[in-house]
Amino acid sequence: MDILISICLLVGTFFIFSTSIGLLRFPDVYTRMHAATKASTLGIAGIMIGAFLFLYVEHGIFSGKLILGLLFVLLTVPVSGHMISRAAHRSGVKPWGDKVRDDYTEAIRAKENPDHMK
């Protein structure tokens, strides 16, 4: 069980570390948001699962707060990342690179002008 706990903590730490590298290295808000939401969610989940298992196995404590915290993170981080990316897009922030296809702008235009799609 100690090996499983160590693996959870190490995997979580790896994802948190990769989040920090992604935030420093990626070129625009959208790729940085991807790193900040995907990798950090997995990192936090790994660390919280490792902490939960440690408390349960070593001390016999069933921590409902860790489970609720894990559920809260899994539900709110992707939604907040999506909303921040959407706000960036609506404020005019362009994606990095020349060959980027912008389906969201086309969907907004189609919604505003239904005759445009016909």
Side-chain angles (χ1 to χ4, degrees):
M1 203 59 173
D2 288 340
I3 293 172
L4 180 64
I5 293 169
S6 297
I7 289 172
C8 286
L9 293 175
L10 286 173
V11 167
T13 304
F14 168 76
F15 279 114
I16 294 293
F17 181 71
S18 67
T19 296
S20 62
I21 300 271
L23 288 175
L24 293 173
R25 298 284 298 162
F26 286 150
D28 68 342
V29 68
Y30 304 108
T31 53
R32 287 179 184 162
M33 192 58 58
H34 179 77
T37 57
K38 305 291 190 241
S40 67
T41 302
L42 291 173
I44 292 169
I47 290 172
M48 289 182 128
I49 290 170
F52 175 80
L53 290 174
F54 174 77
L55 288 174
Y56 187 70
V57 170
E58 297 292 327
H59 300 289
I61 299 171
F62 184 85
S63 178
K65 289 180 183 179
L66 280 173
I67 298 297
L68 287 174
L70 177 63
L71 289 174
F72 181 74
V73 166
L74 290 176
L75 292 175
T76 59
V77 172
V79 172
S80 64
H82 174 76
M83 296 308 292
I84 292 170
S85 295
R86 186 176 178 182
H89 187 276
R90 286 190 174 235
S91 67
V93 177
K94 298 290 180 198
W96 181 78
D98 296 334
K99 297 181 171 93
V100 176
R101 184 174 145 187
D102 193 0
D103 290 334
Y104 187 57
T105 300
E106 294 172 14
I108 290 173
R109 286 184 189 149
K111 186 176 181 181
E112 291 173 354
N113 186 6
D115 297 331
H116 179 264
M117 292 301 290
K118 292 181 181 178

